[in-house]
């Protein structure tokens, strides 16, 4: 596919687009298959769901501008958390107890050494004999064996372990020393146990009558034999207490005090450890929302369910669907977009969310682009709330079923056919023109691709150079700088990690080879990637063996929209599971709507229809005014049939020149914005991007 035809696609006007829209759009009552209004959605923030999703953290730090409650799964209020108070939540499991010390600074210095390692530090403080004792742990670990491996690593970290202490593996098996109606009643028993040198804690539990109870648990054995030995020693030390193994596997919130809020100065907060097989607790939502510090300090509406899953802490946000959409729409598109664009995004996002079912087992969706971007209350805005409310309950239907209304940032002028993405998708997804995707570059500067007198080629932004009015013998324009030391960039974008390849000053002339949009969501240029870089990126993503070196790389088959369906390296097909995988296979390309251009060679089409590839190290015959001469290919300017030109370099590599950002299937968000700018309403927009659908009101 050449760029002349690609540019032609983008000339589609509003008149032609309007002809593709279904005349009118009607709202129909929802059938029984739809969820009831006012339903909630479960969003996984942290969870280990195997191959489906994995995002884990040792603990979460919660706070809110308003008071909230920690509750049992049954709704028993276990304790109130005052406004602006921080608490931490973690999962009871395997840890390594590193040391005990009366000095916070000694413990903090040791923690700093561990912080960058895989053995994450946690610091608690307890009272023993009226004095503070700081207890440094690492973990949690998924198993006793993993904890033992962690113990070995920690032992080699060069930490100042007191001579009378031994680094040890700890677990989640505890002894029960009694149950009490109040915290005050539990205190004497707790004090007697800790005075005997046995670690113990108060634990919040839900009583059989639904009331809040306090238990005292002691010890943290890693296995049953350790627990049995602990029971014998505890009974010998404190025979007046009744010791049972009843806490092993029981459900409760262990109350500890965290002394590692940061490692600069001591700050303390209550730390509640979720313990017990199948244990679930809830941070009940309030009007201000609850912030999770570890999740980029985002604040969430609704409840936060706290539990264990696959040995890791799971945090699930259960929130009313419409309130979830306030944040999703705000996370996916700009609040500055037209109202009709926001409405279209709201309906698509609602349809997508409801179509997920229990895709993630314990949750319907996750908070990343694996589902939809969900950044909490901070992404909300009044205009977005208004758009969501205006379309409340509206979803897309096709054939009596909810449409999984997928979308991407920018389709690059034409949306994808299902065959070009995941080889499936249904009849509601077809490739359609999306000229309004160009809205993404409406305010962007264009860039000139120029050749400097030194032979260096690169890109200069259009506001830094001007055309002189002169041209070369081949008809290429001449340009000069409008200011001193204009940077010539390797690609048409300013990147802090990439240095300029040259400079252009007023009076110095450069040959203009082409003009392109700034690299972004609409169009882009990536590379040049060397053979080694491509082979590294391709590793593990193809089902066939890779060559030792990539000499040639070509798109040899395209789908209905022009996206790459097949790519050959050295003439051999790169076999991938599905076409969209080419994005990650080639160093994370924005889309699969691309051409591949070798940096060090060019292809010549002969009069007989044959082609030949000439590399940068070869000489080529050039017909000049004085006759045929030989020229070194490196540094040669070659011009295509569309009058665009490029320089052949002396180094091998491959440029990827493409359009769009994302898989391209379904709705194009920038196209939605462009259509709304042109006066289309959200119903027309949705029915353009999704085939044979109706908009249904729940």
């Amino acid at each position: 596919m050449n760029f002349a035809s690609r540019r032609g696609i983008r000339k589609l006007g509003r008149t032609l687009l309007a002809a593709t829209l279904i005349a009118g759009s009607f709202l129909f009552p929802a059938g029984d298959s739809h969820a009831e209004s006012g339903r909630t959605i479960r969003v996984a923030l942290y969870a280990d769901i195997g191959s489906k999703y994995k995002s884990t953290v040792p603990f979460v730090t919660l706070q809110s501008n308003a008071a909230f409650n920690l509750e049992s799964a049954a709704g028993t209020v276990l304790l109130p958390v005052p406004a602006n108070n921080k608490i931490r939540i973690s999962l009871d499991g395997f840890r390594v107890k590193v040391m005990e010390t009366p000095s916070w600074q000694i413990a903090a210095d040791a923690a700093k050494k561990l912080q960058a390692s895989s053995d994450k530090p946690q610091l608690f403080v307890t009272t023993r004999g009226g004095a503070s004792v700081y207890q440094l742990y690492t973990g949690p670990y998924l198993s006793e064996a993993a904890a033992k491996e962690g113990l070995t690593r920690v032992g080699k970290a060069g930490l100042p372990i007191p001579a009378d202490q031994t680094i040890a593996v700890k677990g989640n098996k505890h002894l029960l020393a009694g149950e009490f109606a109040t915290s005050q009643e539990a205190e004497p028993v707790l004090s007697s146990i800790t005075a005997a040198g046995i670690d113990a804690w108060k634990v919040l539990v839900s009583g059989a009558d639904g009331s809040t109870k306090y238990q005292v648990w002691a010890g943290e054995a890693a296995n049953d034999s350790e627990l049995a030995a602990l029971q014998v020693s505890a009974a010998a030390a404190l025979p007046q207490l009744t010791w049972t193994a009843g806490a092993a596997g029981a459900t409760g919130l262990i109350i500890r005090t965290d002394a590692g809020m940061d490692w600069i100065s001591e700050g303390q907060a209550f730390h509640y450890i979720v313990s017990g097989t199948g244990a679930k607790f809830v941070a009940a939502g309030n009007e201000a929302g609850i912030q999770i510090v570890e999740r980029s300090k985002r604040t969430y509406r609704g409840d936060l369910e706290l539990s264990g899953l696959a040995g890791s802490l799971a945090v699930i946000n259960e929130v009313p669907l419409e309130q979830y959409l306030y944040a999703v729409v705000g996370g996916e598109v700009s609040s500055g977009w037209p109202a009709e664009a926001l409405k279209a995004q709201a309906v698509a996002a609602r349809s997508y969310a409801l179509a997920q079912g229990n895709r993630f087992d314990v949750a319907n969706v996750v908070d990343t682009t694996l589902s939809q971007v969900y950044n909490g209350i901070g992404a909300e805005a009044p205009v977005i709330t208004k758009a969501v409310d205006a379309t409340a309950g509206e979803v897309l239907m096709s054939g009596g079923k909810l449409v999984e209304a997928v979308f991407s940032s920018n389709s690059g002028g034409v949306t994808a056919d299902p065959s070009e993405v995941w080889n499936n998708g249904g009849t509601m997804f077809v490739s359609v023109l999306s000229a309004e995707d160009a809205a993404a570059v409406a305010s962007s500067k264009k860039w000139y691709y120029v050749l400097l007198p030194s032979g260096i080629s690169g890109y200069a932004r259009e506001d830094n150079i001007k055309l002189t009015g002169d041209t070369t013998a081949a008809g290429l324009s001449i340009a000069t700088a409008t200011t001193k030391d204009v940077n010539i960039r390797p690609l048409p974008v300013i990147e802090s990690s990439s240095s300029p390849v040259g400079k252009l000053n007023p009076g110095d002339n450069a040959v203009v080879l082409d003009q392109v949009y700034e690299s972004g969501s609409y169009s882009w240029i990536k590379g040049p990637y060397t053979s080694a870089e491509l082979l590294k990126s391709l590793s593990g993503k193809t089902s066939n063996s890779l060559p030792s070196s990539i000499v040639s790389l070509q798109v040899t088959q395209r789908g209905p929209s022009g996206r790459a369906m097949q790519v050959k390296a050295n003439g051999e097909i790169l076999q991938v599971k599905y076409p969209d995988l080419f994005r990650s296979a080639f160093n994370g390309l924005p889309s699969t709507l691309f051409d591949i251009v070798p940096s060090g060679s060019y292809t010549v089409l002969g009069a007989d229809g044959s082609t030949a590839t000439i590399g940068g190290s070869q000489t080529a015959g050039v017909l000049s005014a004085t006759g045929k001469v030989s020229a070194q290919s490196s540094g040669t300017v070659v011009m295509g049939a569309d009058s665009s030109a490029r320089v052949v370099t002396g180094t091998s590599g491959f440029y990827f020149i493409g359009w769009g950002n994302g898989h391209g299937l379904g709705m194009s968000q920038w196209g939605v914005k462009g259509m709304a700018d042109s006066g289309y309403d959200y119903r027309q927009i949705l029915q353009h991007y999704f085939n044979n659908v109706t908009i249904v009101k729940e």
Side-chain angles (χ1 to χ4, degrees):
M1 170 176 277
N2 62 50
F3 282 100
S5 62
R6 294 291 304 125
R7 293 185 182 113
I9 286 174
R10 288 163 183 76
K11 294 179 181 178
L12 179 69
R14 179 176 174 180
T15 302
L16 179 58
L17 179 59
T20 70
L21 295 173
I22 298 173
S25 177
F26 302 92
L27 297 180
F28 297 90
D32 293 338
S33 62
H34 299 300
E36 64 278 5
S37 61
R39 66 164 291 174
T40 60
I41 189 168
R42 291 171 59 83
V43 188
L45 306 179
Y46 289 110
D48 182 353
I49 316 175
S51 60
K52 293 183 179 181
Y53 179 74
K54 185 173 183 178
S55 178
T56 60
V57 69
F59 52 77
V60 290
T61 308
L62 309 181
Q63 63 178 343
S64 175
N65 291 333
F68 65 95
N69 294 326
L70 277 180
E71 301 178 355
S72 69
T76 300
V77 176
L78 299 177
L79 79 153
V81 178
N84 301 312
N85 276 28
K86 288 184 178 180
I87 63 169
R88 273 191 173 162
I89 308 288
S90 64
L91 181 67
D92 200 9
F94 294 98
R95 290 180 170 85
V96 170
K97 189 172 184 180
V98 180
M99 69 165 72
E100 289 190 350
T101 173
S103 167
W104 178 87
Q105 193 62 58
I106 290 175
D109 289 344
K112 290 176 187 176
K113 291 184 178 180
L114 295 167
Q115 198 171 11
S117 71
S118 60
D119 302 287
K120 300 303 180 183
Q122 292 187 40
L123 183 60
F124 299 100
V125 61
T126 188
T127 301
R128 191 176 296 153
S132 294
V133 177
Y134 296 92
Q135 301 173 318
L136 180 63
Y137 293 76
T138 60
Y141 303 94
L142 295 180
S143 65
E144 185 178 2
K148 288 179 178 178
E149 293 174 0
L151 183 149
T152 300
R153 290 190 297 270
V154 172
K156 297 177 180 178
L159 303 178
I161 309 299
D164 62 340
Q165 296 181 28
T166 302
I167 304 175
V169 170
K170 299 295 181 180
N172 58 359
K173 294 183 179 293
H174 315 285
L175 294 176
L176 174 62
E179 182 173 288
F180 309 90
T182 66
S183 175
Q184 291 76 13
E185 291 176 13
E187 188 62 40
V189 172
L190 176 67
S191 297
S192 65
I193 297 172
T194 56
I198 302 172
D199 286 331
W201 313 274
K202 296 176 188 176
V203 182
L204 282 164
V205 299
S206 180
D209 59 355
S211 63
T212 301
K213 301 289 186 182
Y214 287 84
Q215 294 181 350
V216 175
W217 293 2
E220 42 193 350
N223 51 58
D224 288 337
S225 61
E226 286 187 8
L227 185 65
L230 175 63
Q231 187 169 1
V232 171
S233 61
L238 297 164
Q240 71 274 23
L241 298 180
T242 300
W243 297 95
T244 69
T251 297
L253 273 178
I254 302 173
I255 306 172
R256 301 191 70 166
T257 302
D258 200 302
M261 303 304 288
D262 63 55
W263 308 116
I264 299 172
S265 59
E266 182 178 356
Q268 296 184 2
F270 283 114
H271 190 131
Y272 301 97
I273 302 177
V274 176
S275 185
T277 304
K280 290 182 181 179
F281 296 91
V282 175
N286 57 25
E287 69 278 6
I290 301 174
Q291 182 190 85
I292 301 180
V293 174
E294 289 71 24
R295 209 63 169 170
S296 302
K297 295 185 177 180
R298 294 170 184 154
T299 301
Y300 299 93
R301 295 179 182 272
D303 297 339
L304 298 176
E305 181 185 276
L306 311 161
S307 65
L309 186 65
S312 297
L313 178 68
V315 182
I316 310 296
N317 182 203
E318 187 164 1
V319 59
L321 175 63
E322 299 300 314
Q323 293 182 7
Y324 162 76
L325 293 174
Y326 295 163
V328 165
V329 175
E332 288 285 355
V333 297
S334 169
S335 61
W337 283 13
E340 296 304 306
L342 301 179
K343 292 176 185 178
Q345 182 66 56
V347 175
R350 185 183 294 109
S351 301
Y352 178 88
L354 290 175
Q356 298 310 296
N358 292 319
R359 179 182 174 186
F360 294 96
D361 301 336
V362 296
N364 309 113
V365 293
V366 299
D367 67 335
T368 70
T369 53
L370 189 59
S371 293
Q372 303 181 107
V373 175
Y374 174 60
N375 293 336
I377 290 176
E380 297 179 9
V383 291
I384 291 173
T385 300
K386 184 177 179 181
V388 173
D389 291 346
T391 63
E394 293 181 18
V395 294
L396 293 171
M397 292 280 290
S398 179
K401 296 182 179 179
L402 272 168
V403 174
E404 186 180 20
V406 296
F407 47 84
S408 61
S409 174
N410 196 309
S411 72
V414 58
T415 67
D417 185 84
S419 64
E420 299 172 305
V421 185
W422 303 301
N423 292 319
N424 59 55
T427 59
M428 70 286 298
F429 298 108
V430 295
S431 178
V432 298
L433 294 171
S434 185
E436 279 79 1
D437 284 328
V441 291
S443 60
S444 298
K445 299 292 184 182
K446 289 186 177 180
W447 291 64
Y448 286 106
Y449 177 39
V450 299
L451 175 64
L452 301 181
S454 62
I456 293 173
S457 62
Y459 295 86
R461 207 169 65 183
E462 65 177 350
D463 55 343
N464 291 324
I465 66 174
K466 65 179 180 180
L467 301 180
T468 65
D470 297 328
T471 61
T472 66
L476 297 173
S477 297
I478 303 295
T480 189
T482 57
T483 187
K484 185 179 179 182
D485 290 333
V486 171
N487 288 323
I488 306 301
R489 302 282 180 178
L491 295 174
V493 66
I494 298 174
E495 295 178 330
S496 58
S497 59
S498 182
S499 300
V501 296
K503 301 278 188 180
L504 186 66
N505 285 293
D508 296 335
N509 288 337
V511 178
V512 177
L513 305 176
D514 201 3
Q515 189 179 31
V516 299
Y517 288 112
E518 181 168 292
S519 281
S521 66
Y522 181 57
S523 66
W524 44 268
I525 302 174
K526 301 291 183 181
Y529 297 127
T530 65
S531 170
E533 288 172 330
L534 290 174
L535 288 170
K536 181 179 180 181
S537 181
L538 284 163
S539 179
K541 299 184 179 74
T542 64
S543 58
N544 58 331
S545 58
L546 296 171
S548 59
S549 177
I550 297 177
V551 178
S552 67
L553 195 64
Q554 297 174 308
V555 178
T556 50
Q557 182 181 328
R558 296 183 184 275
S561 76
R563 284 168 170 76
M565 296 278 287
Q566 183 187 90
V567 178
K568 288 184 178 180
N570 302 348
E572 296 294 325
I573 296 174
L574 295 173
Q575 297 175 355
V576 294
K577 279 187 177 181
Y578 48 87
D580 195 60
L581 196 59
F582 282 127
R583 285 198 288 157
S584 60
F586 292 129
N587 278 306
L589 297 179
S591 81
T592 58
L593 190 58
F594 60 75
D595 283 333
I596 303 173
V597 178
S599 62
S601 65
Y602 61 95
T603 301
V604 176
L605 176 64
D608 60 356
S610 62
T611 60
T613 299
I614 301 174
S617 60
Q618 298 173 275
T619 58
V622 178
L623 186 62
S624 71
T626 58
K628 184 178 180 180
V629 297
S630 294
Q632 188 74 22
S633 290
S634 179
T636 299
V637 176
V638 294
M639 183 180 293
D642 61 353
S643 297
S644 64
R646 68 182 178 91
V647 178
V648 181
T649 67
T651 58
S652 61
F654 300 91
Y655 285 99
F656 290 79
I657 303 175
W659 302 84
N661 186 7
H663 51 68
L665 190 65
M667 191 177 77
S668 173
Q669 291 170 312
W670 275 103
V672 168
K673 196 266 186 187
M675 288 185 70
D677 284 339
S678 297
Y680 294 101
D681 69 32
Y682 75 98
R683 298 177 183 89
Q684 293 174 309
I685 293 169
L686 290 167
Q687 291 188 321
H688 172 65
Y689 284 109
F690 298 102
N691 186 47
N692 293 327
V693 298
T694 55
I695 301 173
V696 174
K697 178 77 171 181
E698 284 190 323

